[in-house]
Amino acid sequence: MKITVSVIKADIGSIGGHICPSNNLLRAVRTFIAERGRPLLVDHYVSYTGDDVAIVATHSYGVNNEQIHKLCWDAFMAGTAVAKSQGLYGAGQDLLKDSFSGNVRGMGPAVAEMEFDERPNEPFLFFAADKTDPGAYNFPLYLAFADPMNTPGLMLSPSMTAGFKFVIMDVGHTEGDRVIELNAPEDLYSIATLLRDPERYVVESIWSRSSGEQAAAVSTSRLHNIAGKYTGKDDPVMLVRVQKDFPATGEILAPFSIGPFVAGAMRGSHQMPLMPVPLNSGISYFDGPPVVSCAAFAMHNGNMTEAVDAFAHPFWQTVREDVSRKAMDMRRQGFFGAAMLPMSELEYTGIVDKLTELDQRFTVRRTDSQASRPSAKAQTG
Ligand code: 13P
Ligand code: 13P
Ligand code: MG
Ligand code: MG
């Protein structure tokens, strides 16, 4: 059976700044999807990570479907009305256009979708991250799909030895989707060359080279490219199918134990370690640290089991403690050097205005030696 899994997520308002959505907001989104989604969807699941609300929907309409996207857009509009009525911060933050036009791509919400022939057993993972951007998944995806040090399945499983195809997007190109396809393992160094720059090159999807089946889909939207100004970070969602032709769940989760430094946290302008957190967690320290949650599902004919919280296991408690220490270490450095993002990623215009003003006050000093040095002619003559 061909089935589509769509994840559409948006920040439509939160309590206490950018911590998490309110219960009433969530109830409004859930009720809307449950009632209006009945004729369209096979199943759905609504959760939050930080201040972002994600709708996971299964259906048979394929990716980029207008009806499915409109349903989610309208659910976020209903949630925004509640956010406004409760005085939540950033009500409707990610709904950047006034009215829906065909597809939520380019309108603010993040989208990750996959259409596939459902396997007799279909385990998959849904990731949501807050206070960071889509490049945050580059590092775990590289390790999980291209490095046998992380993923023994690349050596052990006959259906994985052919490797995986990475589709990588140049998110700096705003006129359209600029993508490149590279194959692991042959193109490993080329993949590494691009993925080392997660603000510019982002994994969009990953495909099995033995079966041709899609393994992963990542949301790649950059909000400031749509809005032309800072409107919040591009908190990314991701779907990953696991087992059989794909890495095992444990191979996908393992890289998250490293707590890599990613772009984000306070005002979307810093480098902070990514913390794996339980489902429906808010954020706290320094508007962070950046967080990622993972819901594991099995599915049959599009019907999902209950979500299992992949980062709730006691193992991740130690990881969270390590990440907390890394986060505090980095913060001791304040705004200096590696603690903050480079100028091109600072989306607040205040600093640009300040630099323009300061630039005019710079003078080029005429040194004494320049003033008194005799000309070359005078020296030789
Ligand atoms: P099982 O033998 O429990 O199915 O595990 C297989 C596997 O993929 C473990 O990583
Ligand atoms: P969000 O993108 O999660 O709304 O965060 C915005 C921000 O600037 C937090 O400091
Ligand atoms: Mg927010
Ligand atoms: Mg957010």
Side-chain angles (χ1 to χ4, degrees), residues 95 153 162 180 248 255:
L95 307 183
I180 186 171

Side-chain angles (χ1 to χ4, degrees), residues 11 14 17-18 51 89 93 131:
D11 176 347
S14 50
H18 295 276
D51 58 6
Y89 193 68
Q93 179 183 287
K131 304 297 183 274

Side-chain angles (χ1 to χ4, degrees), residues 14-21 48-52 130-131 281-284 287:
S14 50
I15 299 177
H18 295 276
I19 291 183
C20 66
Y48 72 89
T49 301
D51 58 6
D52 297 306
D130 184 39
K131 304 297 183 274
S281 295
I283 55 89
S284 177
D287 277 10

Side-chain angles (χ1 to χ4, degrees), residues 51-71:
D51 58 6
D52 297 306
V53 180
I55 303 164
V56 181
T58 61
H59 55 92
S60 55
Y61 294 89
V63 300
N64 283 326
N65 179 271
E66 179 168 353
Q67 293 182 82
I68 302 296
H69 283 219
K70 183 164 189 334
L71 173 75

Side-chain angles (χ1 to χ4, degrees), residues 9-330:
K9 80 95 225 176
D11 176 347
I12 50 172
S14 50
I15 299 177
H18 295 276
I19 291 183
C20 66
S22 69
N23 289 333
N24 286 358
L25 182 162
L26 283 164
R27 200 173 301 117
V29 174
R30 284 196 176 110
T31 307
F32 193 98
I33 293 291
E35 287 173 3
R36 306 286 186 89
R38 203 166 289 133
L40 285 175
L41 305 181
V42 179
D43 206 353
H44 68 272
Y45 167 78
V46 177
S47 65
Y48 72 89
T49 301
D51 58 6
D52 297 306
V53 180
I55 303 164
V56 181
T58 61
H59 55 92
S60 55
Y61 294 89
V63 300
N64 283 326
N65 179 271
E66 179 168 353
Q67 293 182 82
I68 302 296
H69 283 219
K70 183 164 189 334
L71 173 75
C72 295
W73 177 269
D74 289 345
F76 289 138
M77 292 292 283
T80 298
V82 172
K84 285 183 176 158
S85 75
Q86 291 191 296
L88 299 192
Y89 193 68
Q93 179 183 287
D94 286 356
L95 307 183
L96 302 180
K97 308 278 157 128
D98 292 334
S99 58
F100 180 78
S101 60
N103 191 310
V104 295
R105 281 183 201 273
M107 297 185 72
V111 185
E113 294 181 290
M114 269 199 261
E115 184 183 31
F116 49 83
D117 277 313
E118 195 186 78
R119 296 171 287 175
N121 47 67
E122 185 59 63
F124 71 93
L125 307 174
F126 153 56
F127 289 89
D130 184 39
K131 304 297 183 274
T132 185
D133 60 19
Y137 295 127
N138 282 7
F139 172 82
L141 288 175
Y142 175 84
L143 289 185
F145 284 92
D147 187 351
M149 294 279 279
N150 177 85
T151 301
L154 295 167
M155 298 180 288
L156 301 177
S157 167
S159 58
M160 281 170 64
T161 49
F164 290 89
K165 178 177 80 181
F166 284 66
V167 181
I168 297 169
M169 185 181 284
D170 172 1
V171 293
H173 187 85
T174 49
E175 292 82 40
D177 291 350
R178 188 163 183 261
V179 293
I180 186 171
E181 295 187 0
L182 293 168
N183 287 321
E186 305 91 286
D187 300 327
L188 207 57
Y189 295 170
S190 300
I191 293 171
T193 301
L194 295 179
L195 297 192
R196 64 153 290 282
D197 184 357
E199 308 318 309
R200 175 79 191 266
Y201 302 106
V202 172
V203 177
E204 181 206 52
S205 59
I206 299 178
W207 304 74
S208 161
R209 293 174 70 196
S210 67
S211 67
E213 285 283 303
Q214 186 168 3
V218 181
S219 65
T220 51
S221 55
R222 303 262 357 224
L223 293 178
H224 75 282
N225 291 347
I226 303 168
K229 60 176 171 28
Y230 183 76
T231 54
K233 259 285 174 258
D234 320 286
D235 307 322
V237 286
M238 170 166 81
L239 287 167
V240 184
R241 296 168 74 200
V242 289
Q243 306 294 143
K244 300 286 181 200
D245 294 350
F246 309 124
T249 300
E251 290 166 335
I252 301 291
L253 298 180
F256 290 94
S257 68
I258 293 166
F261 284 101
V262 296
M266 181 58 67
R267 299 177 188 276
S269 302
H270 294 80
Q271 304 271 15
M272 290 279 271
L274 182 63
M275 180 183 280
V277 291
L279 297 172
N280 301 311
S281 295
I283 55 89
S284 177
Y285 172 65
F286 200 60
D287 277 10
V291 290
V292 59
S293 67
C294 176
F297 292 97
M299 182 169 71
H300 187 61
N301 293 337
N303 288 297
M304 295 182 285
T305 57
E306 68 274 25
V308 167
D309 190 338
F311 292 136
H313 188 277
F315 171 83
W316 298 97
Q317 198 47 43
T318 305
V319 173
R320 286 192 270 274
E321 281 164 21
D322 284 349
V323 170
S324 296
R325 273 189 285 271
K326 275 173 88 163
M328 288 186 289
D329 277 349
M330 186 58 114

